[in-house]
């Protein structure tokens, strides 16, 4: 099991945040997050948002410290990257394909 965490440099809601990821599977990531008692609502598309005060806990539990660019590289290499807005694009494509409008001739 390898889970990675980037430094808490991302601002939001009056705090700084890290990203916790897996390069194997979301199941592995969720299992690791459970050991830290992270709420499932902290999961966003392909990572957990981790508040800065929990960063040392993640490292102590075995998360490997990497830079933010490395987080993105690892997610892409593993095929686990889910870009923002992608779910919206997919649902729009499904609605379009399943609509009752006739299709133009090929």
């Amino acid at each position: 099991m390898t889970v990675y965490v980037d430094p808490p440099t991302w601002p939001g809601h009056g705090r700084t945040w890290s990203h916790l990821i897996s390069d194997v599977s979301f199941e592995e990531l969720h299992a690791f997050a459970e050991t830290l008692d992270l709420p499932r609502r902290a999961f966003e598309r392909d990572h957990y948002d981790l508040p800065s005060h929990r960063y040392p806990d993640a490292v102590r539990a075995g998360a490997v410290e990497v830079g933010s660019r490395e987080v993105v590289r690892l997610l892409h290499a593993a095929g686990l990257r889910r870009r923002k807005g992608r779910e919206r694009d997919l649902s729009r494509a499904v609605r379009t394909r399943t609509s009752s409008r006739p299709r133009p001739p090929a």
Side-chain angles (χ1 to χ4, degrees):
M1 176 187 279
T2 304
V3 174
Y4 301 88
V5 64
D6 66 356
T9 57
W10 301 95
H13 307 285
R15 299 178 180 196
T16 55
W17 301 82
S18 294
H19 299 115
L20 188 67
I21 67 145
S22 167
D23 66 347
V24 173
S25 69
F26 294 122
E27 291 78 18
E28 175 186 60
L29 180 58
H30 294 312
F32 187 87
E34 280 183 30
T35 68
L36 296 174
D37 293 323
L38 293 177
R40 191 64 174 252
R41 70 179 180 275
F43 181 73
E44 186 180 339
R45 294 182 317 275
D46 55 12
H47 66 276
Y48 275 85
D49 289 323
L50 184 72
S52 59
H53 70 276
R54 298 298 312 275
Y55 182 84
D57 300 334
V59 173
R60 260 192 310 277
V64 176
E65 298 172 273
V66 295
S68 298
R69 288 180 189 252
E70 184 68 1
V71 162
V72 175
R73 191 196 70 73
L74 288 163
L75 285 170
H76 277 289
L80 297 174
R81 179 73 169 134
R82 292 181 179 168
R83 296 182 66 184
K84 199 174 223 175
R86 181 80 175 131
E87 294 85 12
R88 201 173 335 128
D89 294 343
L90 289 175
S91 70
R92 187 179 305 127
V94 168
R95 280 196 313 271
T96 301
R97 271 190 246 125
T98 58
S99 72
S100 58
R101 292 187 315 228
R103 290 186 176 185

